[in-house]
Amino acid sequence: MFKQNRKIVGLLFLLIMLMLTACGQEERTANPTGEQDAKEAETKTVQTIKGDIVIPSNPKRIVAEEYIASLLVLDVKPIGAPGLALENYYVKDALKDVEDIGVYGKPSIERILGLKPDLIITGNGENYDALSKIAPTVVIPYGELKNAHEELTYFGELLGKEQEAKDWLSQYDQKIADAKAQVDAIIPEDASFSIIEDAGKSIYVYGDNFGRGGQPIYQSLGRKLPAKKADEIMEKQWAEISEEVLADYAGDYIILTSNDRTVEDYKKDPMWGNLPAVKNDHLYVWPEERSWYYDPTAVLAQVEELTNWLLNKNSRKW
């Protein structure tokens, strides 16, 4: 009797084990592995000009050739960036401990490799093949994101920071609206504005998405270029012009980038001094370290700077 009971118990035990094994197999079939689910949750696929790219859902070690200031707005600090970006007048203090990866467009592959990034962000696709072998690489070409809203919204979605982007843009919009209202109250609606750079031997004019003050003046404050040149400049975004045609591109107000000359210098210059904007004290001169940058943080600061000038220009001493 004892042997028979033991045999029954053994059979029951074997049956239970077979049932448990079958359940486990069914669970693994329905949900291949917990590890796979976890892996999928840790990554996501994004569409880029280089096709669909799988990136970390929450990257920790980002090397960014471009768009650094937008990352900072979203409380994401890169571990590496080009030297020129680290000198950005508006955010350089926040980037003091970020590694210099070399020249924009020609970064040091060795330095980037040594940083062991889990995501690379760039505006230049020429080095994609080399960079993508190091880490997932997202290419967003220069000019594709045309304003603060497009830029912050894009990176908010890319990095899972949608709410942070919305909150920052809400404050940004309010500050821009306040500045525009103040400017509109004192500057005629039909007054034209020119964005110009004096590069010594060359003179350049710019549109609304090429830095030098175009974003704050044309996009944020809603001001217009001289009518007869507006279509040309807005289509090309920049043009090199000669001294002979400078007057054709000069608006009622001129925002001028120059590292070497002051407003007084331009007033004394026969060519510049005869322009109505210069004669009427409607000339603002600033260095490239403040005018070149066009990221959302820079644009907001530039709007404040140029608005203060427009509001107080009559009392300024040049």
mmCIF file of all heavy atoms in Angstrom, residues 95-142:
data_model
loop_
_atom_site.group_PDB
_atom_site.id
_atom_site.type_symbol
_atom_site.label_atom_id
_atom_site.label_comp_id
_atom_site.label_asym_id
_atom_site.label_seq_id
_atom_site.Cartn_x
_atom_site.Cartn_y
_atom_site.Cartn_z
ATOM 1 N N LEU A 95 28.070 75.661 -20.056
ATOM 2 C CA LEU A 95 28.778 74.627 -20.801
ATOM 3 C C LEU A 95 30.247 74.498 -20.403
ATOM 4 O O LEU A 95 31.034 73.888 -21.129
ATOM 5 C CB LEU A 95 28.685 74.929 -22.306
ATOM 6 C CG LEU A 95 27.273 74.966 -22.906
ATOM 7 C CD1 LEU A 95 27.326 75.461 -24.342
ATOM 8 C CD2 LEU A 95 26.620 73.595 -22.843
ATOM 9 N N LYS A 96 30.609 75.043 -19.264
ATOM 10 C CA LYS A 96 32.015 75.089 -18.867
ATOM 11 C C LYS A 96 32.671 73.718 -18.772
ATOM 12 O O LYS A 96 33.861 73.571 -19.040
ATOM 13 C CB LYS A 96 32.151 75.838 -17.537
ATOM 14 C CG LYS A 96 31.940 77.338 -17.667
ATOM 15 C CD LYS A 96 32.103 78.039 -16.326
ATOM 16 C CE LYS A 96 31.930 79.548 -16.466
ATOM 17 N NZ LYS A 96 32.052 80.244 -15.165
ATOM 18 N N ASP A 97 31.930 72.704 -18.361
ATOM 19 C CA ASP A 97 32.531 71.380 -18.189
ATOM 20 C C ASP A 97 32.177 70.419 -19.324
ATOM 21 O O ASP A 97 32.351 69.208 -19.200
ATOM 22 C CB ASP A 97 32.112 70.773 -16.848
ATOM 23 C CG ASP A 97 30.595 70.696 -16.692
ATOM 24 O OD1 ASP A 97 29.879 71.305 -17.510
ATOM 25 O OD2 ASP A 97 30.130 70.022 -15.757
ATOM 26 N N VAL A 98 31.701 70.966 -20.450
ATOM 27 C CA VAL A 98 31.385 70.142 -21.620
ATOM 28 C C VAL A 98 32.636 69.977 -22.474
ATOM 29 O O VAL A 98 33.377 70.939 -22.703
ATOM 30 C CB VAL A 98 30.243 70.768 -22.444
ATOM 31 C CG1 VAL A 98 30.009 69.989 -23.733
ATOM 32 C CG2 VAL A 98 28.966 70.821 -21.615
ATOM 33 N N GLU A 99 32.890 68.784 -22.962
ATOM 34 C CA GLU A 99 34.102 68.476 -23.718
ATOM 35 C C GLU A 99 34.062 69.097 -25.112
ATOM 36 O O GLU A 99 33.059 69.028 -25.811
ATOM 37 C CB GLU A 99 34.248 66.956 -23.849
ATOM 38 C CG GLU A 99 35.579 66.504 -24.390
ATOM 39 C CD GLU A 99 36.709 66.633 -23.392
ATOM 40 O OE1 GLU A 99 36.420 66.672 -22.173
ATOM 41 O OE2 GLU A 99 37.871 66.678 -23.832
ATOM 42 N N ASP A 100 35.175 69.692 -25.508
ATOM 43 C CA ASP A 100 35.320 70.269 -26.846
ATOM 44 C C ASP A 100 35.614 69.128 -27.832
ATOM 45 O O ASP A 100 36.626 68.438 -27.715
ATOM 46 C CB ASP A 100 36.462 71.290 -26.844
ATOM 47 C CG ASP A 100 36.619 72.016 -28.163
ATOM 48 O OD1 ASP A 100 36.075 71.551 -29.179
ATOM 49 O OD2 ASP A 100 37.309 73.059 -28.183
ATOM 50 N N ILE A 101 34.737 68.958 -28.842
ATOM 51 C CA ILE A 101 34.933 67.871 -29.807
ATOM 52 C C ILE A 101 35.575 68.369 -31.110
ATOM 53 O O ILE A 101 35.686 67.610 -32.080
ATOM 54 C CB ILE A 101 33.612 67.152 -30.127
ATOM 55 C CG1 ILE A 101 32.597 68.123 -30.752
ATOM 56 C CG2 ILE A 101 33.056 66.470 -28.885
ATOM 57 C CD1 ILE A 101 31.364 67.436 -31.321
ATOM 58 N N GLY A 102 35.978 69.640 -31.128
ATOM 59 C CA GLY A 102 36.656 70.150 -32.311
ATOM 60 C C GLY A 102 35.816 71.116 -33.113
ATOM 61 O O GLY A 102 34.880 71.731 -32.602
ATOM 62 N N VAL A 103 36.127 71.231 -34.389
ATOM 63 C CA VAL A 103 35.497 72.207 -35.272
ATOM 64 C C VAL A 103 34.145 71.695 -35.754
ATOM 65 O O VAL A 103 34.014 70.516 -36.113
ATOM 66 C CB VAL A 103 36.396 72.501 -36.492
ATOM 67 C CG1 VAL A 103 35.734 73.500 -37.427
ATOM 68 C CG2 VAL A 103 37.751 73.017 -36.024
ATOM 69 N N TYR A 104 33.148 72.584 -35.783
ATOM 70 C CA TYR A 104 31.832 72.190 -36.281
ATOM 71 C C TYR A 104 31.949 71.734 -37.740
ATOM 72 O O TYR A 104 32.584 72.376 -38.568
ATOM 73 C CB TYR A 104 30.845 73.355 -36.205
ATOM 74 C CG TYR A 104 29.518 73.024 -36.839
ATOM 75 C CD1 TYR A 104 28.608 72.208 -36.181
ATOM 76 C CD2 TYR A 104 29.189 73.482 -38.112
ATOM 77 C CE1 TYR A 104 27.390 71.873 -36.769
ATOM 78 C CE2 TYR A 104 27.985 73.151 -38.707
ATOM 79 C CZ TYR A 104 27.090 72.352 -38.026
ATOM 80 O OH TYR A 104 25.895 72.009 -38.625
ATOM 81 N N GLY A 105 31.334 70.607 -38.052
ATOM 82 C CA GLY A 105 31.401 70.064 -39.399
ATOM 83 C C GLY A 105 32.585 69.145 -39.615
ATOM 84 O O GLY A 105 32.571 68.301 -40.508
ATOM 85 N N LYS A 106 33.610 69.308 -38.801
ATOM 86 C CA LYS A 106 34.796 68.449 -38.885
ATOM 87 C C LYS A 106 35.234 68.057 -37.480
ATOM 88 O O LYS A 106 36.352 68.345 -37.052
ATOM 89 C CB LYS A 106 35.920 69.173 -39.613
ATOM 90 C CG LYS A 106 35.608 69.505 -41.067
ATOM 91 C CD LYS A 106 36.779 70.215 -41.730
ATOM 92 C CE LYS A 106 36.470 70.547 -43.184
ATOM 93 N NZ LYS A 106 37.599 71.253 -43.838
ATOM 94 N N PRO A 107 34.365 67.410 -36.730
ATOM 95 C CA PRO A 107 34.700 67.069 -35.347
ATOM 96 C C PRO A 107 35.758 65.984 -35.277
ATOM 97 O O PRO A 107 36.004 65.268 -36.248
ATOM 98 C CB PRO A 107 33.365 66.562 -34.787
ATOM 99 C CG PRO A 107 32.696 65.950 -35.984
ATOM 100 C CD PRO A 107 33.058 66.854 -37.137
ATOM 101 N N SER A 108 36.368 65.880 -34.112
ATOM 102 C CA SER A 108 37.344 64.822 -33.885
ATOM 103 C C SER A 108 36.606 63.520 -33.580
ATOM 104 O O SER A 108 35.971 63.389 -32.527
ATOM 105 C CB SER A 108 38.264 65.182 -32.716
ATOM 106 O OG SER A 108 39.020 64.060 -32.320
ATOM 107 N N ILE A 109 36.675 62.586 -34.501
ATOM 108 C CA ILE A 109 36.013 61.298 -34.298
ATOM 109 C C ILE A 109 36.600 60.595 -33.085
ATOM 110 O O ILE A 109 35.889 59.931 -32.321
ATOM 111 C CB ILE A 109 36.156 60.421 -35.560
ATOM 112 C CG1 ILE A 109 35.530 61.126 -36.778
ATOM 113 C CG2 ILE A 109 35.504 59.072 -35.338
ATOM 114 C CD1 ILE A 109 34.073 61.456 -36.633
ATOM 115 N N GLU A 110 37.905 60.755 -32.883
ATOM 116 C CA GLU A 110 38.572 60.113 -31.738
ATOM 117 C C GLU A 110 38.030 60.650 -30.416
ATOM 118 O O GLU A 110 37.775 59.889 -29.477
ATOM 119 C CB GLU A 110 40.084 60.334 -31.819
ATOM 120 C CG GLU A 110 40.774 59.615 -32.958
ATOM 121 C CD GLU A 110 40.562 60.284 -34.316
ATOM 122 O OE1 GLU A 110 40.092 61.448 -34.332
ATOM 123 O OE2 GLU A 110 40.851 59.640 -35.334
ATOM 124 N N ARG A 111 37.854 61.984 -30.342
ATOM 125 C CA ARG A 111 37.328 62.566 -29.097
ATOM 126 C C ARG A 111 35.905 62.087 -28.836
ATOM 127 O O ARG A 111 35.540 61.781 -27.686
ATOM 128 C CB ARG A 111 37.347 64.090 -29.182
ATOM 129 C CG ARG A 111 38.734 64.703 -29.182
ATOM 130 C CD ARG A 111 38.632 66.213 -29.143
ATOM 131 N NE ARG A 111 39.903 66.852 -29.452
ATOM 132 C CZ ARG A 111 40.082 68.170 -29.538
ATOM 133 N NH1 ARG A 111 39.055 68.986 -29.335
ATOM 134 N NH2 ARG A 111 41.261 68.669 -29.839
ATOM 135 N N ILE A 112 35.099 62.068 -29.879
ATOM 136 C CA ILE A 112 33.717 61.629 -29.711
ATOM 137 C C ILE A 112 33.675 60.166 -29.286
ATOM 138 O O ILE A 112 32.928 59.780 -28.377
ATOM 139 C CB ILE A 112 32.919 61.835 -31.013
ATOM 140 C CG1 ILE A 112 32.829 63.329 -31.339
ATOM 141 C CG2 ILE A 112 31.518 61.236 -30.887
ATOM 142 C CD1 ILE A 112 32.163 63.635 -32.662
ATOM 143 N N LEU A 113 34.478 59.344 -29.899
ATOM 144 C CA LEU A 113 34.553 57.931 -29.549
ATOM 145 C C LEU A 113 34.934 57.754 -28.086
ATOM 146 O O LEU A 113 34.374 56.926 -27.361
ATOM 147 C CB LEU A 113 35.565 57.226 -30.451
ATOM 148 C CG LEU A 113 35.675 55.700 -30.333
ATOM 149 C CD1 LEU A 113 34.359 55.037 -30.705
ATOM 150 C CD2 LEU A 113 36.802 55.187 -31.232
ATOM 151 N N GLY A 114 35.879 58.579 -27.618
ATOM 152 C CA GLY A 114 36.328 58.496 -26.237
ATOM 153 C C GLY A 114 35.269 58.895 -25.226
ATOM 154 O O GLY A 114 35.321 58.478 -24.066
ATOM 155 N N LEU A 115 34.288 59.682 -25.657
ATOM 156 C CA LEU A 115 33.222 60.118 -24.750
ATOM 157 C C LEU A 115 32.136 59.062 -24.566
ATOM 158 O O LEU A 115 31.294 59.182 -23.678
ATOM 159 C CB LEU A 115 32.588 61.414 -25.287
ATOM 160 C CG LEU A 115 33.461 62.666 -25.208
ATOM 161 C CD1 LEU A 115 32.795 63.834 -25.925
ATOM 162 C CD2 LEU A 115 33.748 63.039 -23.756
ATOM 163 N N LYS A 116 32.142 58.052 -25.418
ATOM 164 C CA LYS A 116 31.176 56.949 -25.345
ATOM 165 C C LYS A 116 29.724 57.453 -25.296
ATOM 166 O O LYS A 116 28.969 57.147 -24.364
ATOM 167 C CB LYS A 116 31.468 56.068 -24.122
ATOM 168 C CG LYS A 116 32.842 55.425 -24.146
ATOM 169 C CD LYS A 116 33.089 54.576 -22.919
ATOM 170 C CE LYS A 116 34.479 53.932 -22.964
ATOM 171 N NZ LYS A 116 34.760 53.116 -21.766
ATOM 172 N N PRO A 117 29.324 58.229 -26.297
ATOM 173 C CA PRO A 117 27.943 58.752 -26.294
ATOM 174 C C PRO A 117 26.927 57.664 -26.589
ATOM 175 O O PRO A 117 27.247 56.630 -27.197
ATOM 176 C CB PRO A 117 27.980 59.777 -27.442
ATOM 177 C CG PRO A 117 29.009 59.236 -28.386
ATOM 178 C CD PRO A 117 30.075 58.622 -27.499
ATOM 179 N N ASP A 118 25.696 57.887 -26.124
ATOM 180 C CA ASP A 118 24.610 56.983 -26.510
ATOM 181 C C ASP A 118 23.699 57.629 -27.547
ATOM 182 O O ASP A 118 22.763 56.994 -28.052
ATOM 183 C CB ASP A 118 23.805 56.510 -25.296
ATOM 184 C CG ASP A 118 23.260 57.659 -24.455
ATOM 185 O OD1 ASP A 118 23.351 58.832 -24.894
ATOM 186 O OD2 ASP A 118 22.743 57.394 -23.362
ATOM 187 N N LEU A 119 23.967 58.910 -27.881
ATOM 188 C CA LEU A 119 23.225 59.603 -28.933
ATOM 189 C C LEU A 119 24.074 60.755 -29.454
ATOM 190 O O LEU A 119 24.727 61.445 -28.677
ATOM 191 C CB LEU A 119 21.892 60.146 -28.398
ATOM 192 C CG LEU A 119 21.033 60.924 -29.400
ATOM 193 C CD1 LEU A 119 20.552 60.009 -30.535
ATOM 194 C CD2 LEU A 119 19.837 61.570 -28.696
ATOM 195 N N ILE A 120 24.063 60.943 -30.772
ATOM 196 C CA ILE A 120 24.767 62.063 -31.398
ATOM 197 C C ILE A 120 23.739 62.878 -32.176
ATOM 198 O O ILE A 120 22.921 62.326 -32.921
ATOM 199 C CB ILE A 120 25.885 61.578 -32.334
ATOM 200 C CG1 ILE A 120 26.930 60.791 -31.540
ATOM 201 C CG2 ILE A 120 26.539 62.760 -33.052
ATOM 202 C CD1 ILE A 120 27.984 60.124 -32.409
ATOM 203 N N ILE A 121 23.781 64.197 -32.006
ATOM 204 C CA ILE A 121 22.883 65.112 -32.709
ATOM 205 C C ILE A 121 23.732 66.067 -33.541
ATOM 206 O O ILE A 121 24.683 66.659 -33.030
ATOM 207 C CB ILE A 121 22.010 65.911 -31.712
ATOM 208 C CG1 ILE A 121 21.081 64.956 -30.948
ATOM 209 C CG2 ILE A 121 21.199 66.982 -32.434
ATOM 210 C CD1 ILE A 121 20.340 65.621 -29.799
ATOM 211 N N THR A 122 23.391 66.218 -34.807
ATOM 212 C CA THR A 122 24.176 67.088 -35.672
ATOM 213 C C THR A 122 23.299 67.763 -36.712
ATOM 214 O O THR A 122 22.221 67.260 -37.053
ATOM 215 C CB THR A 122 25.297 66.296 -36.379
ATOM 216 O OG1 THR A 122 26.061 67.165 -37.207
ATOM 217 C CG2 THR A 122 24.719 65.173 -37.236
ATOM 218 N N GLY A 123 23.779 68.892 -37.212
ATOM 219 C CA GLY A 123 23.098 69.569 -38.307
ATOM 220 C C GLY A 123 23.785 69.313 -39.629
ATOM 221 O O GLY A 123 23.367 69.817 -40.673
ATOM 222 N N ASN A 124 24.855 68.541 -39.593
ATOM 223 C CA ASN A 124 25.681 68.294 -40.768
ATOM 224 C C ASN A 124 25.746 66.793 -41.044
ATOM 225 O O ASN A 124 26.255 66.029 -40.237
ATOM 226 C CB ASN A 124 27.092 68.849 -40.528
ATOM 227 C CG ASN A 124 27.970 68.781 -41.756
ATOM 228 O OD1 ASN A 124 27.734 67.990 -42.663
ATOM 229 N ND2 ASN A 124 28.994 69.616 -41.791
ATOM 230 N N GLY A 125 25.226 66.393 -42.203
ATOM 231 C CA GLY A 125 25.179 64.970 -42.506
ATOM 232 C C GLY A 125 26.416 64.408 -43.160
ATOM 233 O O GLY A 125 26.493 63.203 -43.429
ATOM 234 N N GLU A 126 27.429 65.252 -43.407
ATOM 235 C CA GLU A 126 28.610 64.792 -44.127
ATOM 236 C C GLU A 126 29.383 63.713 -43.364
ATOM 237 O O GLU A 126 30.021 62.847 -43.965
ATOM 238 C CB GLU A 126 29.538 65.966 -44.434
ATOM 239 C CG GLU A 126 28.953 66.954 -45.437
ATOM 240 C CD GLU A 126 29.917 68.067 -45.768
ATOM 241 O OE1 GLU A 126 31.073 68.015 -45.281
ATOM 242 O OE2 GLU A 126 29.522 68.990 -46.507
ATOM 243 N N ASN A 127 29.339 63.774 -42.040
ATOM 244 C CA ASN A 127 30.089 62.809 -41.235
ATOM 245 C C ASN A 127 29.204 61.699 -40.673
ATOM 246 O O ASN A 127 29.596 61.005 -39.741
ATOM 247 C CB ASN A 127 30.786 63.535 -40.076
ATOM 248 C CG ASN A 127 31.763 64.574 -40.566
ATOM 249 O OD1 ASN A 127 32.624 64.294 -41.386
ATOM 250 N ND2 ASN A 127 31.622 65.793 -40.069
ATOM 251 N N TYR A 128 28.018 61.557 -41.256
ATOM 252 C CA TYR A 128 27.056 60.610 -40.696
ATOM 253 C C TYR A 128 27.605 59.188 -40.600
ATOM 254 O O TYR A 128 27.443 58.516 -39.585
ATOM 255 C CB TYR A 128 25.767 60.614 -41.515
ATOM 256 C CG TYR A 128 24.772 59.589 -41.040
ATOM 257 C CD1 TYR A 128 23.989 59.836 -39.905
ATOM 258 C CD2 TYR A 128 24.629 58.365 -41.688
ATOM 259 C CE1 TYR A 128 23.088 58.894 -39.446
ATOM 260 C CE2 TYR A 128 23.732 57.419 -41.229
ATOM 261 C CZ TYR A 128 22.968 57.682 -40.111
ATOM 262 O OH TYR A 128 22.085 56.751 -39.650
ATOM 263 N N ASP A 129 28.244 58.737 -41.667
ATOM 264 C CA ASP A 129 28.729 57.350 -41.676
ATOM 265 C C ASP A 129 29.692 57.084 -40.523
ATOM 266 O O ASP A 129 29.598 56.060 -39.839
ATOM 267 C CB ASP A 129 29.421 57.037 -43.007
ATOM 268 C CG ASP A 129 28.430 56.951 -44.162
ATOM 269 O OD1 ASP A 129 27.225 56.786 -43.889
ATOM 270 O OD2 ASP A 129 28.856 57.072 -45.322
ATOM 271 N N ALA A 130 30.616 58.022 -40.314
ATOM 272 C CA ALA A 130 31.590 57.844 -39.233
ATOM 273 C C ALA A 130 30.929 57.965 -37.862
ATOM 274 O O ALA A 130 31.198 57.171 -36.955
ATOM 275 C CB ALA A 130 32.720 58.867 -39.368
ATOM 276 N N LEU A 131 30.054 58.951 -37.700
ATOM 277 C CA LEU A 131 29.413 59.178 -36.406
ATOM 278 C C LEU A 131 28.446 58.055 -36.046
ATOM 279 O O LEU A 131 28.376 57.634 -34.882
ATOM 280 C CB LEU A 131 28.672 60.517 -36.420
ATOM 281 C CG LEU A 131 29.543 61.770 -36.569
ATOM 282 C CD1 LEU A 131 28.670 63.011 -36.704
ATOM 283 C CD2 LEU A 131 30.490 61.910 -35.387
ATOM 284 N N SER A 132 27.704 57.572 -37.033
ATOM 285 C CA SER A 132 26.691 56.553 -36.748
ATOM 286 C C SER A 132 27.304 55.220 -36.346
ATOM 287 O O SER A 132 26.618 54.347 -35.809
ATOM 288 C CB SER A 132 25.777 56.360 -37.961
ATOM 289 O OG SER A 132 26.511 55.926 -39.092
ATOM 290 N N LYS A 133 28.595 55.043 -36.619
ATOM 291 C CA LYS A 133 29.280 53.833 -36.161
ATOM 292 C C LYS A 133 29.615 53.912 -34.672
ATOM 293 O O LYS A 133 29.888 52.900 -34.035
ATOM 294 C CB LYS A 133 30.562 53.624 -36.974
ATOM 295 C CG LYS A 133 30.302 53.249 -38.423
ATOM 296 C CD LYS A 133 31.598 53.141 -39.211
ATOM 297 C CE LYS A 133 31.327 52.805 -40.675
ATOM 298 N NZ LYS A 133 32.563 52.760 -41.492
ATOM 299 N N ILE A 134 29.591 55.143 -34.135
ATOM 300 C CA ILE A 134 29.881 55.335 -32.713
ATOM 301 C C ILE A 134 28.616 55.211 -31.872
ATOM 302 O O ILE A 134 28.601 54.570 -30.816
ATOM 303 C CB ILE A 134 30.531 56.715 -32.485
ATOM 304 C CG1 ILE A 134 31.837 56.831 -33.277
ATOM 305 C CG2 ILE A 134 30.775 56.963 -31.007
ATOM 306 C CD1 ILE A 134 32.456 58.212 -33.238
ATOM 307 N N ALA A 135 27.543 55.856 -32.344
ATOM 308 C CA ALA A 135 26.280 55.864 -31.607
ATOM 309 C C ALA A 135 25.163 56.252 -32.566
ATOM 310 O O ALA A 135 25.421 56.809 -33.641
ATOM 311 C CB ALA A 135 26.351 56.858 -30.440
ATOM 312 N N PRO A 136 23.904 55.988 -32.207
ATOM 313 C CA PRO A 136 22.794 56.442 -33.047
ATOM 314 C C PRO A 136 22.924 57.950 -33.307
ATOM 315 O O PRO A 136 23.143 58.728 -32.370
ATOM 316 C CB PRO A 136 21.560 56.130 -32.194
ATOM 317 C CG PRO A 136 21.987 55.019 -31.308
ATOM 318 C CD PRO A 136 23.436 55.261 -31.013
ATOM 319 N N THR A 137 22.799 58.345 -34.569
ATOM 320 C CA THR A 137 23.060 59.731 -34.959
ATOM 321 C C THR A 137 21.845 60.321 -35.657
ATOM 322 O O THR A 137 21.365 59.779 -36.661
ATOM 323 C CB THR A 137 24.282 59.807 -35.892
ATOM 324 O OG1 THR A 137 25.430 59.284 -35.200
ATOM 325 C CG2 THR A 137 24.564 61.236 -36.315
ATOM 326 N N VAL A 138 21.349 61.416 -35.120
ATOM 327 C CA VAL A 138 20.198 62.111 -35.694
ATOM 328 C C VAL A 138 20.692 63.366 -36.401
ATOM 329 O O VAL A 138 21.337 64.219 -35.787
ATOM 330 C CB VAL A 138 19.168 62.484 -34.603
ATOM 331 C CG1 VAL A 138 18.021 63.285 -35.197
ATOM 332 C CG2 VAL A 138 18.645 61.219 -33.932
ATOM 333 N N VAL A 139 20.376 63.477 -37.688
ATOM 334 C CA VAL A 139 20.783 64.631 -38.495
ATOM 335 C C VAL A 139 19.583 65.536 -38.723
ATOM 336 O O VAL A 139 18.563 65.104 -39.268
ATOM 337 C CB VAL A 139 21.358 64.191 -39.854
ATOM 338 C CG1 VAL A 139 21.792 65.404 -40.663
ATOM 339 C CG2 VAL A 139 22.516 63.219 -39.669
ATOM 340 N N ILE A 140 19.686 66.804 -38.288
ATOM 341 C CA ILE A 140 18.661 67.816 -38.555
ATOM 342 C C ILE A 140 19.352 68.956 -39.287
ATOM 343 O O ILE A 140 20.050 69.768 -38.669
ATOM 344 C CB ILE A 140 17.996 68.353 -37.270
ATOM 345 C CG1 ILE A 140 17.580 67.208 -36.366
ATOM 346 C CG2 ILE A 140 16.801 69.216 -37.624
ATOM 347 C CD1 ILE A 140 18.481 66.983 -35.186
ATOM 348 N N PRO A 141 19.231 69.027 -40.607
ATOM 349 C CA PRO A 141 19.999 70.004 -41.387
ATOM 350 C C PRO A 141 19.744 71.445 -40.967
ATOM 351 O O PRO A 141 18.647 71.804 -40.507
ATOM 352 C CB PRO A 141 19.512 69.765 -42.824
ATOM 353 C CG PRO A 141 18.978 68.378 -42.820
ATOM 354 C CD PRO A 141 18.388 68.171 -41.450
ATOM 355 N N TYR A 142 20.778 72.265 -41.148
ATOM 356 C CA TYR A 142 20.680 73.694 -40.848
ATOM 357 C C TYR A 142 19.492 74.289 -41.604
ATOM 358 O O TYR A 142 19.325 74.058 -42.795
ATOM 359 C CB TYR A 142 21.967 74.400 -41.277
ATOM 360 C CG TYR A 142 21.933 75.904 -41.087
ATOM 361 C CD1 TYR A 142 22.305 76.474 -39.883
ATOM 362 C CD2 TYR A 142 21.515 76.742 -42.121
ATOM 363 C CE1 TYR A 142 22.277 77.843 -39.702
ATOM 364 C CE2 TYR A 142 21.477 78.111 -41.947
ATOM 365 C CZ TYR A 142 21.857 78.658 -40.742
ATOM 366 O OH TYR A 142 21.812 80.026 -40.568
#
